[in-house]
Amino acid sequence: MVEDSVLLAAVSLISAVQQAYFAKQVGNARMKYKIAPPSVTGSPDFERIFRAQQNSIEFYPLFLVVLWTSGLFFNQEVASVFGCVYLFGRHVYFIGYAESTKGRIPGFKIGLAMLFILFILSFLGTANCLIDKYFDINLIKKISKLFP
Amino acid sequence: MVEDSVLLAAVSLISAVQQAYFAKQVGNARMKYKIAPPSVTGSPDFERIFRAQQNSIEFYPLFLVVLWTSGLFFNQEVASVFGCVYLFGRHVYFIGYAESTKGRIPGFKIGLAMLFILFILSFLGTANCLIDKYFDINLIKKISKLFP
Amino acid sequence: MVEDSVLLAAVSLISAVQQAYFAKQVGNARMKYKIAPPSVTGSPDFERIFRAQQNSIEFYPLFLVVLWTSGLFFNQEVASVFGCVYLFGRHVYFIGYAESTKGRIPGFKIGLAMLFILFILSFLGTANCLIDKYFDINLIKKISKLFP
């Protein structure tokens, strides 16, 4: 069973490293712009990096939900590929936002598109499993019988 | 196995949509009250909507933990029903908080009650499974034998 | 199957209680220092408690990812022990930060060390499972054959 989620676990681990990297960047920015904790304001440069991390934190549980749901109920390999592209988009977003407010947009769009795709896959997989369980109709099997 | 968690996956997907909706509302409020990122202050109306989203983010992983633990170790159907009521409470909270500071209270109470119930179910299910695994005593079977 | 994760579920439940406790402390601090929502600034004492909670929220999904990945792919018992030490470190961090900015450091270091250990265990477990699945080489079996 655990093998069916090993790729999802691997992508989740990469995402955990990314979150730790973002947190480290905020720590470095605190030093550089001399923003002592608990303060989170005082320099626009620091605030952009801080907001970039905060936004990544906000989306992190949502990302994990659609990654694992699409991976378990649709297809592990497909979900992992889109998950990796999401992490790449997040990286572009963070680097871009650290430089300028406008710089956050390209990476954000990549991330949003990946979340949308993972959500659609999750929806299809979960809906098929629900229909199979409660109405005993396996749509995927029915469809594949049409193309023997 | 995956069938035993399909309802939990469905509720998690609904909750992911809700989180995305809250994030969208903050984006809209940024436009309406002209709060340019990375700033998060400047208008009490914006700040209420922002705090409503932040609070929902804070409780989101906690909600997922008790939803899945109660669903896997107690009962999937029961956990999903209380999970849906929680999401309803969160919606009432968000709408109420966006209108006034006091307006956040009714929805917050619903959410808190649901988290408490899901926690109790999680605790019962996990405790029963732990006792079964490490002491080889299945309490649920023992109790059901008392009422043949 | 569910038995293989019951300890992880138990540690997750304890962590959920801790998150709820931190949220409650922020609520109490709002009363004590008269910081009405949605405001989150105005008193350094309140701000430290608020930042302590925010930081714990930031690390919470990351903690859950490495706890469950190491528990499922390496060893449930080992992961749970390090997970409990992490929660202890978080408690020390929160109490320390509430008293002074410097007070956050000892607990933070404990937490960081535990996250690092859990990450290494996750990495080993996931890598071994990936190599087994895609290259049909079970390293752990090979190594144990060297010591018959």
Side-chain angles (χ1 to χ4, degrees):
Chain A
M1 213 312 284
V2 134
E3 286 204 348
D4 294 341
S5 61
V6 64
L7 282 178
L8 306 174
V11 175
S12 303
L13 278 186
I14 300 170
S15 74
V17 173
Q18 189 179 49
Q19 291 286 322
Y21 170 79
F22 291 163
K24 184 83 182 67
Q25 295 306 101
V26 172
N28 292 352
R30 277 196 182 282
M31 301 278 199
K32 191 175 170 190
Y33 302 108
K34 297 189 176 66
I35 313 288
S39 179
V40 293
T41 48
S43 149
D45 290 310
F46 172 75
E47 282 176 43
R48 282 202 316 279
I49 295 173
F50 180 68
R51 281 305 310 156
Q53 184 221 10
Q54 291 295 310
N55 186 283
S56 302
I57 292 166
E58 291 174 16
F59 278 86
Y60 191 42
L62 208 158
F63 165 67
L64 290 174
V65 164
V66 291
L67 173 71
W68 282 80
T69 318
S70 58
L72 291 177
F73 292 93
F74 189 85
N75 179 290
Q76 175 177 216
E77 277 84 3
V78 174
S80 300
V81 169
F82 288 117
C84 285
V85 180
Y86 174 82
L87 296 179
F88 168 75
R90 268 289 141 186
H91 191 76
V92 173
Y93 166 85
F94 191 87
I95 303 296
Y97 205 168
E99 272 169 23
S100 72
T101 310
K102 271 198 173 176
R104 77 191 194 286
I105 295 170
F108 194 73
K109 282 185 179 168
I110 299 172
L112 220 54
M114 290 310 113
L115 286 183
F116 185 73
I117 292 171
L118 287 172
F119 176 78
I120 296 296
L121 300 182
S122 301
F123 180 80
L124 293 176
T126 312
N128 182 62
C129 186
L130 275 173
I131 293 168
D132 192 12
K133 178 172 175 160
Y134 290 100
F135 301 98
D136 209 17
I137 302 170
N138 193 319
L139 290 178
I140 289 177
K141 271 192 194 161
K142 290 224 169 180
I143 291 167
S144 44
K145 267 186 197 162
L146 298 176
F147 310 94
Chain B
M1 213 309 286
V2 134
E3 287 203 347
D4 294 342
S5 60
V6 63
L7 282 178
L8 307 174
V11 175
S12 302
L13 278 186
I14 299 170
S15 75
V17 173
Q18 189 179 49
Q19 292 286 322
Y21 170 80
F22 291 164
K24 184 83 182 67
Q25 294 306 100
V26 173
N28 292 352
R30 276 195 183 281
M31 302 276 198
K32 191 174 169 189
Y33 301 108
K34 298 191 175 63
I35 314 288
S39 179
V40 293
T41 49
S43 149
D45 289 308
F46 172 75
E47 282 177 41
R48 283 203 315 280
I49 294 173
F50 181 68
R51 282 304 309 155
Q53 184 221 11
Q54 291 296 310
N55 187 283
S56 301
I57 291 166
E58 291 174 17
F59 279 85
Y60 191 42
L62 209 158
F63 164 67
L64 290 174
V65 163
V66 291
L67 173 71
W68 282 80
T69 317
S70 58
L72 291 176
F73 293 93
F74 189 84
N75 179 291
Q76 175 177 215
E77 276 84 5
V78 174
S80 301
V81 170
F82 287 118
C84 286
V85 181
Y86 173 81
L87 295 180
F88 168 76
R90 268 288 140 187
H91 191 75
V92 173
Y93 166 85
F94 191 87
I95 303 295
Y97 206 168
E99 271 169 23
S100 72
T101 308
K102 272 197 172 176
R104 78 190 194 286
I105 295 170
F108 194 73
K109 282 185 179 168
I110 299 172
L112 220 54
M114 291 308 114
L115 285 182
F116 186 73
I117 293 172
L118 286 171
F119 176 79
I120 296 297
L121 300 182
S122 302
F123 180 79
L124 294 176
T126 311
N128 182 62
C129 186
L130 275 173
I131 293 167
D132 192 12
K133 178 172 176 160
Y134 290 100
F135 301 98
D136 209 17
I137 303 168
N138 193 319
L139 290 178
I140 289 176
K141 272 193 194 161
K142 290 225 170 182
I143 291 167
S144 45
K145 268 185 197 163
L146 298 176
F147 310 94
Chain C
M1 215 310 285
V2 134
E3 287 203 346
D4 293 342
S5 60
V6 64
L7 282 178
L8 306 174
V11 175
S12 302
L13 278 185
I14 299 170
S15 74
V17 172
Q18 189 179 48
Q19 292 285 323
Y21 170 79
F22 291 164
K24 184 82 183 65
Q25 294 305 102
V26 173
N28 291 352
R30 276 195 183 281
M31 301 277 198
K32 191 175 169 190
Y33 302 108
K34 298 190 177 63
I35 314 287
S39 178
V40 293
T41 50
S43 149
D45 290 308
F46 172 75
E47 283 177 41
R48 282 202 316 279
I49 294 172
F50 180 69
R51 281 304 311 156
Q53 185 222 10
Q54 291 295 312
N55 186 283
S56 302
I57 291 166
E58 291 174 16
F59 279 87
Y60 190 41
L62 209 158
F63 164 67
L64 291 174
V65 163
V66 291
L67 172 70
W68 282 80
T69 317
S70 58
L72 292 177
F73 293 93
F74 189 85
N75 179 289
Q76 173 177 216
E77 277 84 4
V78 174
S80 301
V81 169
F82 288 117
C84 286
V85 181
Y86 173 83
L87 295 179
F88 168 75
R90 269 288 140 186
H91 191 75
V92 172
Y93 166 86
F94 192 88
I95 303 294
Y97 206 168
E99 272 169 23
S100 72
T101 309
K102 272 198 171 175
R104 79 190 193 286
I105 294 169
F108 194 73
K109 283 185 178 167
I110 299 171
L112 220 55
M114 290 309 113
L115 285 182
F116 185 73
I117 293 171
L118 287 171
F119 176 78
I120 296 297
L121 300 182
S122 302
F123 179 80
L124 294 175
T126 310
N128 182 61
C129 187
L130 275 173
I131 293 167
D132 192 12
K133 179 172 174 161
Y134 291 101
F135 301 98
D136 209 18
I137 303 169
N138 192 319
L139 291 178
I140 289 176
K141 272 192 193 161
K142 289 224 169 180
I143 291 167
S144 45
K145 268 185 196 162
L146 298 176
F147 310 93

